[in-house]
Amino acid sequence: MSRFGRDCGAVSLAPMLAEPSASSPSVHRLPVPRPRTGGERAPAPARTRYWPRLLPVLAVLACVTRIPSFVWPVWNPDEGFLATQARMLASGGELYETVVDRKPPLVPWLYQGAFALFGDDSLVPLKILAVGSVFLTAALLAALARRRWGDGAGCTAGILCVLLSIGLNPEDTQAATFEIFMLPCTAAAMWCADRRRWGSAGLAVAAAFLVKQTGAAVLLPVLWLLWRSGWVGHALVRHALVRRALVRLTAGALTPVVAAAVLTTPTGFLFWTVTGSGAYASFTGSELHVLFRALGNTALLAVAAAGVLQPVVRVLRIARTGAGDLWLWLGSSAAAVCLGFHFFGHYYLQLIPPLVMLGTAALQILPRDWLPTTLLTTACTCAFFLVWGLLTPRPELTHAGRVAAAIQARTQPGDRVLIWGIHPETYWLADRPPASRFLTAGLLTNYSGGRNGPQVGEKYAVRGGWSTFREEMSARPPALILDDARGKPYGVEQVKGLRKVLEGGGYQRVGVVGGTVLYERSAVD
């Protein structure tokens, strides 16, 4: 067996517990160690070519597990939204003014930068960056686990992270969107806090928030580690050290956020990222629909993580792991998933790093034959989700492609169009500029939250949305308007404001493509 195989094949438990004897098969009789938490180092590993051996393995696994992401040009509406936003920004749009979304600015800027370097007709550069994001997350978790429990634990955590990263609906895991770029930021925050680099931890927390607001949930376990770091030494010294650490953490967390607000517009940044989503985050509306979505995505992740959950549950039955920061990380991430009461599958990606770390911690207590079982089970479930991603049909993408072709046939490059629906990828596929800053009908009806009940309608739009929308339609009427509701409760029949735009602008119905109705402007003001 190679040196790398000996490092990664089994976690050495000798420093932590005695091997069970043949006459004592019950794991309940094992002595339970006190697991190391942040700030405590595992015994120094032997000098080996550890990282040169592990990192290529993680890189290959990351590339293989994300092969499905390259099969389709776009995986979900979030990718289409970001691609369209990036084109608008490149054309002179201003974020949170003429280009709007309920998300922080880092990922739109990332798309804009990639388009500037590689062109805006393909998302392949972003998909490659997503592979790198998974790889970096796995490497950080491997470093975190190795510092706490040794070489074998580092290998285990890194490999489990990559395998679990596709353990949901492929539309949620294979897209190069917010959550996939948030994961390395949250892992970096824990890596820095574990090493008591509080300023850097604050910067990582800020980066996680600027990718997606719920990324800030990692601040709770970081604060726990900061508090625990003050348990050693004289009381006065401890308090002074904690105060200084807290100042560095706060400065690191606030400075990038304030800078992002200043670079965009402070009032717009605050409104679109924090205060302007009251109706969107409400629990009311389509409760059963949302509940079934929550249960379904929870079940999918439970299947994917079955190999990790088994040792965690087993350890809970026999002992406390003592990994308070990891449990807090999982709990705060679960709260972030629940925030807004939408439970989309991609929200659950935030749970994967703490689950991996808890599973790795549990394997340090259990007998070593649990490790191959955990790895094999996780590899099998990963293979299932990989095949699902390669073979899954994409009817919505097919429909969007047909609609985009119809738009190109009826308009000229540069003509502005309005697609009244929840699939902004059609703008990007058609290569036509949007006629409005509101890229989905959901921003003007609240349907974007996945609700189809009582909280869908014009009165649930973002504040000031309809007045701005009417001004846009009056100042520069689109050449083509498409009602892409297809029977959902935000179509022309249910939205009076859209009917007024069609009637007042002299639009005539000119065709239907797969249920999407096309209206062309025939009258010239």
Side-chain angles (χ1 to χ4, degrees):
M1 182 182 292
S2 69
R3 185 64 174 270
F4 180 72
R6 291 196 299 272
D7 286 341
C8 296
V11 180
S12 175
L13 304 180
M16 303 186 68
L17 53 88
E19 287 292 331
S21 65
S23 61
S24 178
S26 173
V27 76
H28 291 269
R29 300 180 63 182
L30 291 173
V32 178
R34 182 178 68 87
R36 284 173 284 275
T37 58
E40 300 178 49
R41 293 181 180 272
R47 289 185 177 275
T48 65
R49 297 181 67 246
Y50 182 82
W51 291 112
R53 294 175 185 270
L54 176 60
L55 293 181
V57 173
L58 298 182
V60 169
L61 286 175
C63 291
V64 170
T65 54
R66 296 200 67 81
I67 287 174
S69 69
F70 296 91
V71 172
W72 301 102
V74 60
W75 265 97
N76 65 19
D78 282 350
E79 280 187 326
F81 202 115
L82 287 162
T84 306
Q85 272 188 309
R87 280 181 173 171
M88 295 170 71
L89 290 171
S91 300
E94 298 179 27
L95 197 57
Y96 306 127
E97 290 290 343
T98 58
V99 183
V100 298
D101 190 17
R102 293 185 173 102
K103 298 293 193 301
L106 275 193
V107 182
W109 286 342
L110 180 66
Y111 268 65
Q112 183 186 5
F115 282 2
L117 291 174
F118 304 105
D120 63 3
D121 58 348
S122 172
L123 297 186
V124 168
L126 282 307
K127 297 174 188 293
I128 294 173
L129 287 176
V131 174
S133 181
V134 171
F135 166 76
L136 181 56
T137 305
L140 287 167
L141 294 187
L144 186 60
R146 186 190 188 212
R147 184 173 188 265
R148 295 188 178 192
W149 305 299
D151 284 359
C155 295
T156 301
I159 292 171
L160 287 175
C161 176
V162 179
L163 296 179
L164 278 179
S165 67
I166 62 169
L168 289 158
N169 189 312
E171 289 189 16
D172 296 307
T173 59
Q174 296 292 344
T177 52
F178 303 98
E179 289 78 9
I180 206 70
F181 294 116
M182 180 178 68
L183 294 185
C185 301
T186 59
M190 293 296 290
W191 185 92
C192 293
D194 191 64
R195 285 157 175 77
R196 303 182 184 181
R197 300 176 184 177
W198 304 115
S200 299
L203 290 173
V205 171
F209 171 82
L210 290 173
V211 172
K212 188 183 177 187
Q213 296 92 323
T214 55
V218 75
L219 180 61
L220 290 179
V222 167
L223 287 172
W224 169 269
L225 288 174
L226 190 153
W227 178 57
R228 286 291 302 270
S229 71
W231 280 16
V232 180
H234 189 274
L236 292 178
V237 176
R238 292 201 310 266
H239 294 161
L241 290 174
V242 168
R243 284 196 299 270
R244 285 198 292 270
L246 190 58
V247 168
R248 292 198 298 271
L249 177 67
T250 303
L254 290 182
T255 301
V257 176
V258 172
V262 172
L263 286 173
T264 53
T265 168
T267 55
F269 177 88
L270 180 65
F271 175 80
W272 284 102
T273 63
V274 181
T275 64
S277 302
Y280 179 85
S282 171
F283 180 72
T284 306
S286 302
E287 290 85 353
L288 283 178
H289 178 71
V290 172
L291 176 62
F292 285 132
R293 184 193 299 139
L295 294 175
N297 286 321
T298 301
L300 279 177
L301 183 59
V303 169
V308 173
L309 291 173
Q310 289 177 16
V312 172
V313 172
R314 181 63 167 167
V315 166
L316 284 176
R317 291 175 56 192
I318 65 173
R320 294 177 58 188
T321 65
D325 60 321
L326 302 182
W327 285 109
L328 190 57
W329 190 7
L330 179 64
S332 61
S333 298
V337 170
C338 298
L339 188 66
F341 304 104
H342 295 297
F343 301 101
F344 293 122
H346 46 89
Y347 289 9
Y348 286 73
L349 287 171
Q350 193 167 354
L351 298 173
I352 288 175
L355 277 176
V356 165
M357 290 300 296
L358 282 169
T360 305
L363 288 170
Q364 312 315 301
I365 297 175
L366 294 169
R368 64 179 65 199
D369 58 357
W370 278 75
L371 177 60
T373 301
T374 296
L375 290 174
L376 179 61
T377 303
T378 307
C380 290
T381 57
C382 175
F384 166 78
F385 286 100
L386 180 61
V387 173
W388 183 5
L390 290 170
L391 300 182
T392 182
R394 300 297 313 287
E396 285 296 337
L397 180 60
T398 301
H399 172 76
R402 293 175 59 197
V403 173
I407 293 173
Q408 291 176 330
R410 290 188 170 273
T411 60
Q412 298 297 319
D415 285 347
R416 292 155 54 89
V417 300
L418 174 69
I419 301 171
W420 187 258
I422 56 173
H423 290 280
E425 63 269 27
T426 310
Y427 287 116
W428 181 70
L429 293 170
D431 195 16
R432 297 294 185 268
S436 171
R437 70 197 67 192
F438 305 109
L439 298 184
T440 69
L443 293 170
L444 295 171
T445 64
N446 199 40
Y447 188 84
S448 59
R451 292 186 166 86
N452 54 11
Q455 285 206 349
V456 173
E458 292 169 82
K459 67 178 180 179
Y460 300 109
V462 294
R463 189 170 67 248
W466 274 99
S467 60
T468 301
F469 178 72
R470 285 190 290 267
E471 291 173 4
E472 291 174 325
M473 296 299 102
S474 176
R476 297 181 64 185
L480 196 68
I481 295 179
L482 298 91
D483 178 11
D484 193 37
R486 289 176 282 162
K488 298 181 177 67
Y490 60 86
V492 171
E493 297 79 7
Q494 291 89 359
V495 181
K496 183 178 180 182
L498 182 60
R499 290 201 304 273
K500 287 184 177 180
V501 169
L502 291 172
E503 295 165 1
Y507 290 89
Q508 300 293 327
R509 177 170 170 159
V510 294
V512 179
V513 178
T516 299
V517 185
L518 283 66
Y519 297 90
E520 197 167 52
R521 190 165 183 260
S522 57
V524 179
D525 294 336

